[in-house]
Amino acid sequence: MTVQDVLAPGADGPAAPGPAAGARGVWRTLRTRPSAVVSGAVLAALVLAALAAPLLTALSGQNPYTYHDELVDSASGGAPKGSFGGVSGDHWLGIEPGTGRDLFARLVYGARVSLLVAAGATLLQVVIGVSVGLAAALGSRWADQLLSRVTDVMVALPMLVLAIALTTVVPGDFPRPLLLILVMGALNWGGTSRIVRAQALTLRRLDFVAAARLGGSGPMRVVRRELLPSLAAPVITYAAILLPSNIVLEASLSFLGIGVTPPTPSWGQMLSTATTWFRADPMYVLLPSGLLFVTVLAFTVLGDAVRTALDPREASRLRVGTRKEKTRD
């Protein structure tokens, strides 16, 4: 068999390993998995709620910044009046202890900040990690050694300490969400780089990459047409893990006072202050933590489903296992 036979679209030779056939094939696979459909619907609802936060708060007649001192009991230190954290017709999920601000409004506006910071940081981490990983795998031996050592250093560095140091030297009027995206993305790409490097070193030895090189494809074309599609499954799966981790990291930075600053709401900021109100107002702790848990779970389930849809070998194993079970029955 010649190189042209391997590269020909209708060749009878072995097909090059890679992701499932396009976005339509991935979508068809995801629709057959109820867990993927449910998790995707949950995430879509969260994103829509974040985008429509002004409309939703207008319907409730509230906003996330107005104080309602008359709704908190000053004698008890600021605990909400009424049951379930002050739930009423005007305040659908209750109010914030100490301030009386509407909790529903702060949750939907907080989703905007938390999801934006997490998504932006994840995107930056993936871009840097994929670039460094591919450069290490496809470059010379010295480039691989250098970039691998840089990656090891980035993984070993104490991120919280560096984040504190970087945020203290940035002017106070710099947009805080953008600062968090840059800091989290620039310091936490080491894991992505390691995964991409390991996968790319394996893929570069396979026949379909060698055939592409023998067919006259340059390095960038090989990366774009052969390697990146095959790397989509592990990168997307790891990104689905990074995103909820970044939501938690944003919460940690807000807890330390270097994240989103008041009065801008975020789930992390709410959790950092909710611990002192757990006994007096459990709803103030359960609502943001519950949303965080649901978001992490939905991204994890959807990421696993996307990995299976993008990896034809995984899908083949699932089909073979299903056929064996039917045969035994």
Side-chain angles (χ1 to χ4, degrees):
M1 181 183 295
T2 65
V3 173
Q4 287 75 15
D5 293 330
V6 175
L7 294 177
D12 296 330
R24 292 183 179 179
V26 173
W27 173 243
R28 283 195 299 268
T29 304
L30 292 178
R31 286 191 302 177
T32 61
R33 302 191 62 178
S35 59
V37 175
V38 173
S39 59
V42 170
L43 293 175
L46 287 172
V47 173
L48 288 176
L51 295 175
L55 177 61
L56 294 175
T57 54
L59 291 175
S60 65
Q62 304 296 331
N63 66 73
Y65 306 110
T66 301
Y67 285 63
H68 299 279
D69 297 332
E70 71 281 1
L71 299 179
V72 296
D73 186 5
S74 58
S76 61
K81 297 178 181 178
S83 57
F84 301 105
V87 173
S88 64
D90 295 328
H91 303 279
W92 298 345
L93 296 180
I95 59 174
E96 185 181 55
T99 64
R101 292 180 292 193
D102 185 74
L103 192 54
F104 172 76
R106 293 190 65 77
L107 283 173
V108 293
Y109 270 92
R112 277 185 153 190
V113 176
S114 297
L115 293 177
L116 175 64
V117 171
T122 301
L123 179 61
L124 185 58
Q125 290 165 8
V126 168
V127 170
I128 298 177
V130 169
S131 302
V132 175
L134 284 175
L138 302 179
S140 64
R141 184 170 63 90
W142 293 106
D144 185 19
Q145 290 292 326
L146 176 61
L147 293 176
S148 297
R149 299 293 79 78
V150 172
T151 301
D152 293 339
V153 170
M154 296 304 298
V155 172
L157 286 176
M159 180 177 175
L160 285 178
V161 176
L162 285 177
I164 293 174
L166 290 175
T167 52
T168 54
V169 300
V170 176
D173 57 349
F174 192 86
R176 214 64 179 182
L178 179 58
L179 176 61
L180 289 177
I181 291 174
L182 295 176
V183 170
M184 292 164 59
L187 297 178
N188 204 23
W189 50 264
T192 306
S193 177
R194 283 181 169 179
I195 291 174
V196 171
R197 175 184 175 274
Q199 293 289 328
L201 286 175
T202 301
L203 291 171
R204 66 181 294 185
R205 300 185 180 97
L206 298 183
D207 293 340
F208 74 102
V209 176
R213 289 176 173 173
L214 290 175
S217 298
M220 293 304 299
R221 183 179 176 84
V222 171
V223 169
R224 186 176 68 254
R225 297 292 298 274
E226 309 297 340
L227 295 183
L228 286 181
S230 299
L231 290 170
V235 169
I236 292 176
T237 302
Y238 191 66
I241 299 173
L242 280 176
L243 204 152
S245 300
N246 285 331
I247 295 178
V248 177
L249 181 58
E250 183 271 328
S252 302
L253 294 176
S254 296
F255 179 81
L256 295 174
I258 58 176
V260 178
T261 56
T264 304
S266 76
W267 292 348
Q269 185 190 103
M270 295 174 69
L271 285 173
S272 67
T273 59
T275 54
T276 59
W277 295 99
F278 180 75
R279 293 184 181 274
D281 186 12
M283 293 293 292
Y284 187 47
V285 181
L286 295 177
L287 286 174
S289 60
L291 283 174
L292 185 60
F293 171 77
V294 170
T295 303
V296 171
L297 180 62
F299 271 114
T300 303
V301 173
L302 185 61
D304 181 71
V306 171
R307 177 184 62 83
T308 303
L310 288 172
D311 189 351
R313 293 169 297 179
E314 181 71 16
S316 299
R317 286 193 291 268
L318 291 176
R319 288 195 295 269
V320 171
T322 303
R323 285 198 295 267
K324 288 182 178 179
E325 291 178 0
K326 289 182 179 179
T327 303
R328 291 174 183 175
D329 294 341

